[in-house]
Amino acid sequence: MSVRTRFAPSPTGALHIGGARTAIFNWLFARHYGGRFILRIEDTDRNRSTEESISEILDGMMWLGLNWDEGPFRQSDRLSIYQEYAERLLASGKAYRCYCTPNEIERRRKEAEKQGRVYRYEGTCRNLKSHSPDKPFAIRLATPEEGNIEVEDLIRGTISFDAKEIDDFVIQKTDGFPTYNFAVVIDDATMDITHVIRGDDHIANTPKQILIYEALSQNIPKFAHVSMILGSDKTRLSKRHGATSVVAYREMGYLPEAVVNYLARLGWSYGDQEIFSKDELIDKFTLDSVGKGAAVFNPEKLLWLNGWYIRNKPAEEIAELVIPFLHKKGFQVALDERFIKIVNILRERAKTLVELADSAEYFFADEIKYEGAARKKFLTSDALPIIEELINKLSSLRDFTVPELQRIFGEITEKREIKLVQIAQPVRVALTGGTVSPGIFEVMEVLGREKVLERLKRAVSQIPKN
RNA sequence: GGCCCCUUCGUCUAGCGGUCUAGGACAUUGCCCUCUCAAGGCAGAAACACGGGUUCGAGUCCCGUAGGGGCCA
């Protein structure tokens, strides 16, 4: 039997970090074993589900490159299927109609609470002989009264629950809607899901789900419960901890490779390896090297990985990705040779595409602004003759290239017996406005003779004479 | 409260009874490289939650305790 996994988010918001990791694990598992990956939208909660969330989730999945083979299915399209299966259980006597009203149940629960007991439905309607077709009813599963229900978890081993802990729970509500556990089981069963990989917040649901499979005489899939992702204070990751939606990372200039790599490595490992291409992940991912403990989300490491990918992907691809960020800043740039060169010299010092776009500003701005401190420190009367000499030499330079520029600078430092830094920094401020940039020769070469001379002359005019 | 899960450096983790004076990565500190900033290189500080067992020997197995988390309410 071939592997079939699924990712089943409820559309109550964008795809978040935790959901994305669950999706990644399911996707990797399916791809690793040559199986299929199914996407299902659990939108039975009509009040909280939105169309917008659905498209945001799909958007996030596509951005991460988590392509699905079937779906997206929607639970809201499948209500008749759940009802049909509920009927079937009713007919086989594995489930029964319950006429107890919510008020009654609530009263009994309060009573139990008062006595310090955990309330479990006492089976009032379990052995009712006659139906009351005119009264509203819920459908409950007739669960075993004793024994153990064992969950064979691929990550945690056997987890055992006492059947006494589980009461005759509702599978279909009075309004005809399935309960969460019922819908999930019917979906997983009818979609032939072989491996349910999900967050460990579902562990406690699993015995109930197993009872449904058994009542239905369906094959029980394998379960794998992955620990959750925590924020820095070790509580469940939430908005308080900063950006949690995957798409927000795209906007902050992260690459999908970095996000996938980071999330895959969060809770899973392969020896000492940190960097994984998608193909490597598919090749190496297995559930037995998924850890049991909860993992704290560490934005710094994600950032480091992002920087790594920015430095190591082909420059042209990075350049293409930066363009929209430059557009946002009002610079129209084309993916030409010059631009790729710019990206290539800048990317070493950028950890996000946003940083990269920010650092590229002086290549596109018509007139650069000097940083106050930089100007004060380096555009001084001491620097004036040096810059003037440089202007002279540059005007007659045959090739405006790194080696030639290097030669010119060498001549000046030698003649004047100064250090390179004494000329490089003033020039840097004159050309970029600040004290930080790629190598000054690279900057000059890319900027070109005309721009360089223009900016140097402007700097000269700005230096106070004394 | 009941049930269930988890516990190695600040963080992600390696470790599947002896090779652990516990390895790698991020972050951090120092040094090197150097035209600035990065990147890179080298070095450092930094952990087996605690207590009992089992065993010749435990980070590794078992049982408690503590702490964290989840589900049900």
Side-chain angles (χ1 to χ4, degrees):
Chain A
M1 183 171 55
S2 97
V3 164
R4 294 172 63 84
T5 65
R6 46 65 158 193
F7 176 54
S10 42
T12 55
L15 180 64
H16 56 92
I17 294 293
R21 189 188 55 166
T22 303
I24 288 168
F25 280 10
N26 275 284
W27 182 82
L28 287 175
F29 188 80
R31 294 288 170 263
H32 178 85
Y33 291 103
R36 290 171 80 77
F37 175 58
I38 290 119
L39 181 60
R40 180 170 80 224
I41 306 294
E42 304 208 324
D43 61 347
T44 45
D45 185 344
R46 300 307 257 163
N47 298 323
R48 307 206 308 139
S49 302
T50 65
E51 285 303 311
E52 193 193 350
S53 296
I54 294 177
S55 61
E56 280 174 340
I57 288 168
L58 300 188
D59 186 29
M61 297 280 291
M62 288 185 282
W63 182 61
L64 293 175
L66 306 178
N67 58 317
W68 54 93
D69 305 304
E70 294 172 29
F73 298 108
R74 291 184 184 213
Q75 287 189 327
S76 57
D77 292 337
R78 299 167 52 83
L79 292 176
S80 62
I81 298 173
Y82 308 129
Q83 281 161 359
E84 183 196 319
Y85 277 89
E87 289 297 326
R88 219 184 269 189
L89 287 175
L90 231 32
S92 67
K94 299 280 175 56
Y96 58 89
R97 295 182 177 83
C98 170
Y99 301 95
C100 300
T101 65
N103 285 342
E104 269 174 85
I105 301 279
E106 189 53 32
R107 191 182 53 75
R108 293 181 211 158
R109 171 170 296 140
K110 288 258 172 63
E111 186 61 28
E113 205 170 301
K114 208 182 290 173
Q115 293 172 22
R117 296 193 338 257
V118 174
Y119 178 71
R120 294 191 190 85
Y121 181 67
E122 47 281 269
T124 315
C125 300
R126 182 161 175 162
N127 296 310
L128 243 42
K129 294 279 170 346
S130 58
H131 298 324
S132 315
D134 46 330
K135 276 165 72 179
F137 61 88
I139 299 176
R140 289 182 184 270
L141 192 73
T143 62
E145 314 199 359
E146 45 197 50
N148 284 321
I149 299 141
E150 308 216 307
V151 178
E152 304 296 338
D153 190 288
L154 262 18
I155 294 172
R156 284 150 217 274
T158 305
I159 306 169
S160 184
F161 295 84
D162 191 329
K164 291 189 189 72
E165 296 291 331
I166 297 167
D167 65 358
D168 287 352
F169 58 92
V170 174
I171 57 173
Q172 189 180 98
K173 294 178 272 184
T174 313
D175 61 8
F177 274 66
T179 55
Y180 170 77
N181 283 319
F182 191 63
V184 166
V185 170
I186 300 307
D187 286 337
D188 286 339
T190 55
M191 293 174 191
D192 295 316
I193 301 303
T194 59
H195 297 262
V196 173
I197 304 167
R198 59 182 13 167
D200 72 356
D201 47 337
H202 290 291
I203 289 181
N205 284 325
T206 312
K208 289 184 175 181
Q209 296 180 188
I210 286 176
L211 291 176
I212 299 172
Y213 282 104
E214 284 174 347
L216 250 17
S217 303
Q218 291 281 337
N219 290 329
I220 300 169
K222 304 261 186 267
F223 293 98
H225 289 97
V226 180
S227 285
M228 351 204 52
I229 300 178
L230 272 27
S232 52
D233 57 359
K234 305 245 183 186
T235 64
R236 194 182 191 143
L237 192 66
S238 74
K239 304 221 171 32
R240 292 184 297 111
H241 301 104
T244 53
S245 109
V246 162
V247 173
Y249 282 89
R250 172 173 64 192
E251 279 152 22
M252 291 187 290
Y254 285 74
L255 305 180
E257 290 92 328
V259 175
V260 169
N261 191 153
Y262 177 74
L263 256 20
R265 246 322 251 97
L266 195 61
W268 171 82
S269 63
Y270 187 81
D272 287 339
Q273 191 171 341
E274 298 287 348
I275 308 282
F276 295 86
S277 69
K278 222 166 245 182
D279 286 344
E280 266 179 306
L281 285 174
I282 290 170
D283 184 43
K284 288 166 175 167
F285 184 82
T286 57
L287 285 174
D288 42 60
S289 34
V290 172
K292 296 178 190 169
V296 173
F297 180 73
N298 183 209
E300 276 94 35
K301 190 156 183 179
L302 207 207
L303 193 61
W304 170 76
L305 263 170
N306 202 52
W308 190 91
Y309 280 99
I310 286 180
R311 267 175 268 127
N312 289 282
K313 269 178 69 114
E316 185 172 348
E317 285 175 38
I318 298 297
E320 196 172 354
L321 293 168
V322 180
I323 289 176
F325 290 94
L326 282 165
H327 282 184
K328 231 176 273 175
K329 296 167 72 73
F331 298 116
Q332 297 302 313
V333 294
L335 187 63
D336 55 18
E337 211 174 307
R338 174 174 182 263
F339 180 56
I340 293 169
K341 220 163 163 183
I342 289 171
V343 166
N344 205 29
I345 64 173
L346 288 172
R347 64 172 166 163
E348 204 158 281
R349 21 189 83 65
K351 288 197 164 23
T352 66
L353 297 174
V354 169
E355 278 181 28
L356 186 38
D358 285 345
S359 69
E361 215 161 308
Y362 54 81
F363 284 109
F364 303 104
D366 289 328
E367 189 167 276
I368 54 158
K369 307 184 287 286
Y370 301 124
E371 283 167 24
R375 173 185 181 166
K376 207 167 153 203
K377 186 167 178 196
F378 294 109
L379 297 186
T380 62
S381 50
D382 288 347
L384 189 59
I386 301 173
I387 297 177
E388 281 174 332
E389 180 178 359
L390 183 63
I391 290 172
N392 275 329
K393 287 193 183 265
L394 290 179
S395 311
S396 56
L397 195 63
R398 283 166 307 157
D399 298 316
F400 210 78
T401 59
V402 170
E404 282 298 289
L405 291 164
Q406 219 158 356
R407 210 195 77 228
I408 298 291
F409 275 60
E411 283 175 17
I412 298 175
T413 53
E414 205 169 312
K415 192 183 96 193
R416 294 178 176 265
E417 294 187 322
I418 57 174
K419 290 190 172 148
L420 182 54
V421 66
Q422 289 172 273
I423 165 165
Q425 280 305 71
V427 170
R428 178 168 280 118
V429 176
L431 299 182
T432 71
T435 54
V436 173
S437 85
I440 196 65
F441 308 122
E442 281 79 18
V443 171
M444 292 172 79
E445 183 186 291
V446 173
L447 229 31
R449 188 195 315 257
E450 211 174 307
K451 270 256 155 57
V452 167
L453 286 174
E454 178 194 313
R455 288 184 187 181
L456 288 177
K457 283 173 187 161
R458 173 159 172 264
V460 166
S461 75
Q462 300 277 313
I463 294 175
K465 309 272 189 299
N466 53 357

